[in-house]
């Protein structure tokens, strides 16, 4: 017998008839009319080549064939029901799963140390694989299932994606303590006059700051342009250069490199970091745990206060 040719709903009707021993009451329990239940019983009889249920004074009573079938079918139906209704669980303390996450280098720097510290405490067997790439690549890898989630700046709206904001970031001006021209505050005049280090992932000689200054007919001097933000604090600490960088990164280097931070003397829009995942992972218990963990870390531990 080809299983694909069988309407498995008939088995549900069969078990209801075994439970209630009454066609009408079995149908009511399943939300079926009496004719629909009788029709299902007729199909069951044809399928099994047995009467299955015969009339009695109180309704119907199962035949020996029906009793034998019920003994075999009940465990299977219960197992199916449990599989469909039992919530999926995830135990981080005993799991040895590997999660693959797409991150920019900025998010890696701000989030990963704190995340790994937390995982060592609550999920020592869990491991992470971090993948880099531009936004288009990461979005594509999310769709293909190569990434469990991605963290970064994602202005694109994709119908099959869900996202959650992790935190907002702003830019600050940074120079070394003891800079000859910058003491307790930073004016626009001093900012423009200073020699600057530009962090540009595009490896060009101008950035957003320069565009904003140009609108005021102002221009700054870019002494050096570097593509990686992690080299900027070390250069600034040993020179009289000034740089513009994200506040979280700047504060991480402020004490060990003896840097001072100032609000920018012109309005520069910050940005927000989002966590994004494919909607197919929305209800997966392990993925829910990972997302809630990352969100909690981003809210609790990414403090802007300098460390002691």
């Amino acid at each position: 017998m080809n299983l694909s040719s069988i309407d498995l709903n008939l088995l549900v009707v069969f078990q209801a008839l075994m439970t209630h021993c009454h066609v009408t009451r079995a149908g009511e329990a399943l939300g079926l009319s009496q004719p629909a239940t009788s029709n299902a019983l007729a199909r069951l009889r044809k399928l099994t080549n047995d009467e299955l249920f015969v009339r009695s004074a109180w309704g119907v009573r199962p035949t020996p064939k029906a009793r034998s079938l019920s003994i075999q079918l009940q465990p299977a139906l219960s197992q199916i029901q449990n599989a469909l209704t039992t919530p999926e669980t995830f135990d981080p303390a005993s799991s040895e799963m590997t999660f693959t996450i797409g991150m920019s280098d900025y998010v890696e720097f701000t989030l990963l140390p704190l995340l790994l510290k937390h995982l060592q405490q609550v999920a020592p067997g869990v491991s992470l694989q971090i993948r880099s790439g531009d936004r288009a690549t990461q979005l594509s890898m999310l769709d293909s299932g190569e990434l469990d989630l991605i963290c970064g700046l994602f202005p694109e709206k994709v119908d099959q994606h869900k996202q959650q904001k992790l935190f907002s970031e702003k830019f600050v001006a940074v120079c070394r303590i003891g800079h000859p021209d910058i003491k307790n505050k930073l004016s626009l005049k001093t900012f423009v006059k200073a020699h600057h280090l530009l962090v540009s992932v595009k490896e060009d000689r101008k950035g957003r700051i320069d565009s904003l200054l140009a609108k005021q007919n102002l221009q700054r001097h870019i002494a050096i342009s570097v593509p990686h933000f992690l080299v900027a604090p070390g250069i600034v600490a040993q020179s009289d250069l000034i740089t513009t960088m994200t506040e979280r990164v700047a504060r991480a280097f402020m004490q060990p490199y003896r840097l001072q931070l100032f609000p920018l003397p012109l309005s520069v829009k910050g940005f927000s970091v989002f966590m994004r995942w494919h909607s197919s992972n929305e209800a997966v218990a392990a993925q829910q745990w990972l997302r809630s963990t990352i969100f909690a870390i981003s809210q609790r531990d990414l403090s802007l206060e300098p460390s002691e």
Side-chain angles (χ1 to χ4, degrees):
M1 182 179 294
N2 188 348
L3 188 61
S4 64
S5 66
I6 301 174
D7 183 357
L8 297 181
N9 288 316
L10 295 177
L11 303 183
V12 178
V13 175
F14 172 78
Q15 283 302 112
L17 287 167
M18 287 294 301
T19 300
H20 297 282
C21 290
H22 197 284
V23 174
T24 301
R25 286 198 291 270
E28 290 174 348
L30 298 175
L32 298 176
S33 65
Q34 192 275 339
T37 308
S38 296
N39 179 266
L41 176 55
R43 295 168 63 192
L44 279 165
R45 284 167 171 165
K46 183 178 180 180
L47 181 66
T48 60
N49 195 28
D50 189 87
E51 280 296 299
L52 295 178
F53 298 92
V54 295
R55 293 184 181 276
S56 68
W58 59 88
V60 294
R61 59 183 176 83
T63 66
K65 173 76 170 181
R67 292 191 182 95
S68 175
L69 280 174
S70 180
I71 292 172
Q72 298 175 70
L73 289 175
Q74 182 57 50
L77 292 174
S78 297
Q79 187 175 3
I80 292 173
Q81 184 174 16
N82 290 335
L84 294 175
T85 59
T86 302
E88 182 188 5
T89 60
F90 176 75
D91 179 18
S94 61
S95 175
E96 296 183 352
M97 284 190 65
T98 297
F99 294 101
T100 306
I101 307 174
M103 288 184 175
S104 65
D105 56 352
Y106 163 75
V107 179
E108 290 175 9
F109 180 83
T110 56
L111 192 62
L112 278 183
L114 299 167
L115 177 59
L116 287 172
K117 179 180 178 181
H118 179 76
L119 293 183
Q120 287 173 357
Q121 296 171 348
V122 303
V126 168
S127 58
L128 304 178
Q129 181 181 8
I130 306 302
R131 302 287 297 273
S132 61
D134 57 29
R135 279 206 304 265
T137 300
Q138 291 197 351
L139 291 171
S140 176
M141 293 174 71
L142 194 64
D143 285 334
S144 67
E146 296 175 78
L147 295 176
D148 294 309
L149 59 83
I150 52 180
C151 299
L153 284 68
F154 304 104
E156 302 88 348
K157 179 176 175 58
V158 182
D159 290 339
Q160 66 268 27
H161 293 176
K162 294 182 178 293
Q163 68 177 23
Q164 183 176 26
K165 179 180 174 181
L166 295 179
F167 57 87
S168 295
E169 179 64 285
K170 63 181 180 179
F171 293 96
V172 294
V174 182
C175 67
R176 68 177 178 87
I177 293 176
H179 191 289
D181 299 321
I182 305 173
K183 303 302 181 184
N184 298 320
K185 63 180 181 178
L186 179 63
S187 66
L188 179 59
K189 180 179 179 180
T190 303
F191 181 81
V192 173
K193 182 181 177 182
H195 287 200
H196 290 254
L197 179 152
L198 170 67
V199 179
S200 173
V201 294
K202 297 180 180 179
E203 300 185 10
D204 54 23
R205 294 280 300 168
K206 288 188 177 182
R208 275 198 298 167
I209 297 290
D210 301 283
S211 299
L212 293 171
L213 290 174
K215 293 180 180 180
Q216 302 182 47
N217 295 319
L218 297 173
Q219 184 177 353
R220 63 176 178 168
H221 173 66
I222 305 294
I224 182 174
S225 174
V226 297
H228 304 294
F229 70 88
L230 286 179
V231 304
I235 296 174
V236 170
Q238 300 182 57
S239 68
D240 289 335
L241 297 179
I242 184 173
T243 190
T244 300
M245 61 194 313
T246 57
E247 186 172 13
R248 280 174 172 79
V249 173
R251 286 193 178 276
F253 289 99
M254 188 170 73
Q255 289 194 353
Y257 280 50
R258 302 192 73 248
L259 302 175
Q260 51 185 343
L261 281 57
F262 298 95
L264 288 170
L266 68 166
S267 180
V268 179
K269 187 177 180 180
F271 59 89
S272 294
V273 172
F274 286 84
M275 171 173 58
R276 182 177 288 204
W277 62 95
H278 198 277
S279 57
S280 61
N281 284 328
E282 175 70 11
V284 179
Q287 301 285 338
Q288 291 177 335
W289 173 83
L290 176 64
R291 295 194 300 267
S292 64
T293 298
I294 291 176
F295 179 76
I297 291 294
S298 72
Q299 300 301 296
R300 183 182 69 247
D301 292 327
L302 292 184
S303 172
L304 295 181
E305 295 299 323
S307 58
E308 295 298 331

